[in-house]
């Protein structure tokens, strides 16, 4: 995915409650390997600033700089790797997704989606849900926001991860205020985020490493059924 490419949008993938559609990456040789890799081409440089990689020679997208300056990284105008619209009764599992800033997966008007056994490296948000998305299950996944303390085959970027914790440079380098509301605000995200889901979200058995937030959700926006938003988080 190049910086100047339009968003990669998939729309209208809908299964049934007793027969969901399964989108599955190739299983690796070990339980910590996810052999199918999606690379967004945006990374953190050694000073933890965003850089764009793999862009076409001689080209430069201003959208990323504008995004950071205007703090629009949570909106549909953002530069995201995958935008999934009108998904229902879908299971997505066994993928490695790396270098996607600000967001690896944005869900629009989607419900009853399971995200399982994913390895995410980088991203403001691994998953972000709009106000019309509800009933998500996120389980058995690993998200490493700042991978500076890991080798590629330890962070998950190379398709496998080492579960041993290793500190990165993030909190020794960037002051809290700069990440919360300053020039590095693109780090202020979470494994999953939503600013008003009207339905349940379950987050369980995930590993979150070197990240600003774990989960960043407001579940208090209710415009119609379902109208009983709840977030359940398990170890």
């Amino acid at each position: 995915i190049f910086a100047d490419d339009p968003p990669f949008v998939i729309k209208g993938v809908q299964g049934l409650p007793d027969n969901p559609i399964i989108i599955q990456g190739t299983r690796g040789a070990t339980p910590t390997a996810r052999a199918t890799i999606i690379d967004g081409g945006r990374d953190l440089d050694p000073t933890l600033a965003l850089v764009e990689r793999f862009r076409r020679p001689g080209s430069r997208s201003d959208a990323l700089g504008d995004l950071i300056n205007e703090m629009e990284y949570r909106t549909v105008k953002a530069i995201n790797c995958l935008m999934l619209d009108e998904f229902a009764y879908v299971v997505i599992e066994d993928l490695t997704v790396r270098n996607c800033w600000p967001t690896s997966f944005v869900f629009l008007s989607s419900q009853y989606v399971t995200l399982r056994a994913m390895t995410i490296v980088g991203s403001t948000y691994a998953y972000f849900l709009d106000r019309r998305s509800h009933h998500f299950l996120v389980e058995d996944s690993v998200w490493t926001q700042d991978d500076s303390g890991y080798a590629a085959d330890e962070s998950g970027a190379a398709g496998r991860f080492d579960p041993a914790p290793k500190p990165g440079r993030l909190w020794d380098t960037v002051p809290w205020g700069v990440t919360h509301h300053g020039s590095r605000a693109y780090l202020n995200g979470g494994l999953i985020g939503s600013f008003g889901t009207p339905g349940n979200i379950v987050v369980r058995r995930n590993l979150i490493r070197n990240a600003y937030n774990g989960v960043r959700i407001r579940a208090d926006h209710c415009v119609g059924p379902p109208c009983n938003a709840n977030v359940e988080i398990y170890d």
Side-chain angles (χ1 to χ4, degrees):
I1 303 174
F2 291 93
D4 294 324
D5 289 343
F8 191 82
V9 180
I10 305 174
K11 185 171 183 176
V13 178
Q14 300 194 358
L16 298 171
D18 58 349
N19 189 23
I21 291 174
I22 299 175
I23 300 172
Q24 184 181 75
T26 302
R27 295 181 182 273
T30 67
T32 60
R34 311 279 182 262
T36 301
I37 298 175
I38 298 172
D39 195 318
R42 298 173 187 91
D43 202 355
L44 293 174
D45 72 7
T47 65
L48 298 174
L50 274 177
V51 294
E52 296 175 11
R53 304 184 188 277
F54 312 133
R55 63 178 181 271
R56 298 182 182 90
S59 71
R60 175 67 183 183
S61 172
D62 294 328
L64 186 59
D66 293 342
L67 176 68
I68 294 168
N69 292 334
E70 298 175 18
M71 297 184 67
E72 292 183 344
Y73 51 86
R74 303 185 187 100
T75 74
V76 296
K77 298 178 182 178
I79 306 168
N80 306 289
C81 278
L82 295 166
M83 298 183 68
L84 309 180
D85 191 2
E86 296 182 2
F87 270 46
Y89 300 105
V90 175
V91 177
I92 304 175
E93 60 186 8
D94 295 324
L95 295 174
T96 291
V97 184
R98 65 189 185 192
N99 300 331
C100 296
W101 292 85
T103 312
S104 294
F105 293 86
V106 174
F107 288 91
L108 309 173
S109 299
S110 298
Q111 52 270 330
Y112 300 103
V113 174
T114 295
L115 300 159
R116 176 185 297 135
M118 308 281 275
T119 298
I120 311 290
V121 181
S123 299
T124 306
Y125 290 97
Y127 315 111
F128 193 84
L129 320 181
D130 75 347
R131 292 180 181 274
R132 298 177 300 278
S133 296
H134 55 85
H135 287 86
F136 273 65
L137 170 62
V138 181
E139 63 181 4
D140 300 320
S141 296
V142 177
W143 174 50
T144 306
Q145 186 180 48
D146 167 25
D147 65 342
S148 60
Y150 295 89
D153 63 344
E154 296 172 334
S155 69
R160 66 168 299 277
F161 70 91
D162 184 340
K166 292 187 177 181
R169 293 189 303 274
L170 179 60
W171 305 120
D172 292 333
T173 306
V174 183
W176 177 86
V178 175
T179 56
H180 184 256
H181 50 261
S183 61
R184 306 297 174 86
Y186 48 79
L187 295 168
N188 185 4
L191 171 68
I192 184 168
S194 175
F195 289 165
T197 176
N200 290 355
I201 297 173
V202 176
V203 182
R204 64 189 183 191
R205 299 191 304 270
N206 297 282
L207 181 60
I208 299 171
R209 309 192 296 187
N210 298 351
Y212 187 96
N213 298 305
V215 174
R216 194 162 188 250
I217 290 175
R218 295 176 189 167
D220 56 358
H221 181 77
C222 208
V223 295
C227 223
N228 295 302
N230 187 39
V231 178
E232 300 178 22
I233 301 174
Y234 302 88
D235 293 337

